């Protein structure tokens, strides 16, 4: 992924550089992905607009809303939606082939409780998500930016944690997972500094992998190689 900046001006004309969370990547679509985008977007896609969403209108019900940032190719997100029809799922991903693959899988699985967006997640949070409306926000295996000089590019920073909290209901959960121990420690440091969050782990700082987070092929391969995975859950307290 590539860092990009937007330029904004203050009232006195000074330039502000604002780093986006990531850049939209078009990539090459397979015929199946392209067909899924064309056929399923009208019913499952949400176009970016600077207008606040109404979840009741989006899904036609008031079920709890689970939102995932960066769902990759969407296999685990579709599996979660299929396994929990009593919840509504929203996925945000900037990689167009990933969105197409997710829509293909959703159609094959016959799920109707899933919506997807192809846009920068920070802008979606800032302009489209209602306050106090999400039951869960999921961020699984984000880019670790493992070189120390690149740590500032990690999406989990204090302003991001506060932005997520603003959209969670009180009692809602921010669930993160990473296979980089250093990033896991970084996530804990950020979340401990963010007000009105509480770690839900019963022992230590991390929670066992929840049954409702499916194992990805990537994660299974990592396990075979002896790589660790750290799940982190914080709940909004106020």
């Amino acid at each position: 992924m590539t860092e990009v900046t937007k330029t904004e001006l203050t009232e006195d004309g000074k330039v502000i550089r604002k780093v986006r969370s990531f850049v939209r990547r078009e990539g090459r679509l397979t015929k199946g992905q392209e067909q899924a985008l064309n056929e399923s977007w009208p019913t499952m896609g949400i176009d970016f607009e600077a207008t606040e969403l109404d979840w009741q209108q989006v899904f036609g019900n008031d079920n709890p809303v689970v939102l995932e940032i960066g769902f990759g190719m969407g296999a685990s997100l579709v599996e979660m939606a299929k396994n929990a029809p009593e919840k509504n799922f929203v996925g945000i991903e900037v990689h167009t082939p990933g969105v197409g693959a997710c829509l293909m899988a959703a159609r094959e699985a016959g799920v109707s409780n899933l919506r997807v967006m192809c846009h920068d997640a920070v802008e979606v949070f800032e302009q489209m998500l209602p306050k106090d409306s999400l039951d869960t926000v999921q961020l699984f295996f984000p880019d670790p930016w493992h070189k120390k000089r690149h740590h500032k590019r990690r999406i989990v920073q204090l302003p991001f944690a506060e932005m997520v909290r603003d959209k969670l209901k009180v009692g809602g959960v921010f669930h993160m997972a990473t296979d980089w121990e250093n990033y896991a420690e970084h996530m804990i440091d950020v979340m401990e500094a963010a007000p009105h969050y509480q770690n839900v782990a019963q022992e230590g700082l991390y929670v066992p992998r929840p049954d409702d987070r499916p194992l990805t092929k990537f994660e299974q391969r990592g396990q075979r190689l002896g790589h660790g995975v750290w799940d982190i859950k914080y709940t909004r307290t106020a």
Side-chain angles (χ1 to χ4, degrees):
M1 290 184 290
T2 305
E3 176 189 33
V4 296
T5 59
K6 298 187 297 181
T7 300
E8 298 181 356
L9 298 178
T10 61
E11 292 181 359
D12 57 359
K14 292 182 179 179
V15 175
I16 303 172
R17 292 175 70 252
K18 182 178 181 182
V19 180
R20 298 179 65 181
S21 62
F22 33 64
V23 63
R24 179 169 175 170
R25 300 168 297 162
E26 294 298 336
R28 185 183 295 273
L29 293 167
T30 67
K31 289 183 179 179
Q33 291 166 357
E34 185 174 8
Q35 183 179 7
L37 279 166
N38 291 334
E39 295 180 358
S40 298
W41 188 265
T43 54
M44 299 184 69
I46 301 176
D47 292 309
F48 176 80
E49 297 181 67
T51 304
E52 189 173 279
L53 292 167
D54 180 324
W55 295 128
Q56 210 286 333
Q57 289 184 355
V58 170
F59 289 100
N61 60 57
D62 293 315
N63 291 344
V65 178
V66 178
L67 184 144
E68 182 166 341
I69 299 168
F71 57 75
M73 302 303 278
S76 63
L77 179 61
V78 170
E79 186 174 343
M80 283 186 282
K82 183 177 180 180
N83 292 340
E86 73 283 1
K87 298 179 181 179
N88 296 322
F89 289 81
V90 181
I92 305 174
E93 173 58 55
V94 292
H95 192 215
T96 309
V99 176
C102 181
L103 291 173
M104 283 179 62
R107 185 169 57 183
E108 291 172 5
V111 302
S112 59
N113 58 331
L114 173 63
R115 302 291 183 270
V116 297
M117 299 190 69
C118 191
H119 199 77
D120 177 78
V122 171
E123 291 187 353
V124 172
F125 268 75
E126 289 176 344
Q127 301 187 50
M128 295 190 70
L129 301 187
K131 291 177 180 290
D132 312 320
S133 70
L134 301 176
D135 284 77
T136 306
V137 173
Q138 300 177 164
L139 179 68
F140 299 152
F141 307 104
D143 193 326
W145 293 106
H146 57 275
K147 293 182 180 179
K148 190 171 182 179
R149 68 178 184 272
H150 292 157
H151 285 185
K152 63 181 181 294
R153 300 183 184 182
R154 290 173 168 176
I155 190 171
V156 180
Q157 306 289 351
L158 185 57
F160 180 79
E162 293 176 336
M163 182 185 72
V164 169
R165 185 196 62 232
D166 191 47
K167 308 305 180 181
L168 282 170
K169 296 177 180 178
V170 174
V173 172
F174 184 18
H175 180 191
M176 294 161 279
T178 180
D179 60 337
W180 282 81
E181 187 173 13
N182 175 268
Y183 200 176
E185 294 167 349
H186 170 89
M187 289 172 171
I188 293 290
D189 289 343
V190 168
M191 297 305 295
E192 287 297 310
H196 308 304
Y197 272 118
Q198 182 176 341
N199 194 323
V200 305
Q202 298 297 309
E203 296 182 8
L205 299 172
Y206 308 104
V207 298
R209 184 185 66 83
D211 292 336
D212 59 1
R213 182 175 73 74
L215 274 174
T216 65
K217 291 180 181 178
F218 164 81
E219 190 176 353
Q220 289 173 332
R221 184 170 67 250
Q223 285 185 342
R224 289 195 299 270
L225 295 172
H227 297 170
V229 171
W230 291 265
D231 278 86
I232 299 166
K233 282 189 174 186
Y234 276 79
T235 186
R236 178 182 174 182
T237 58

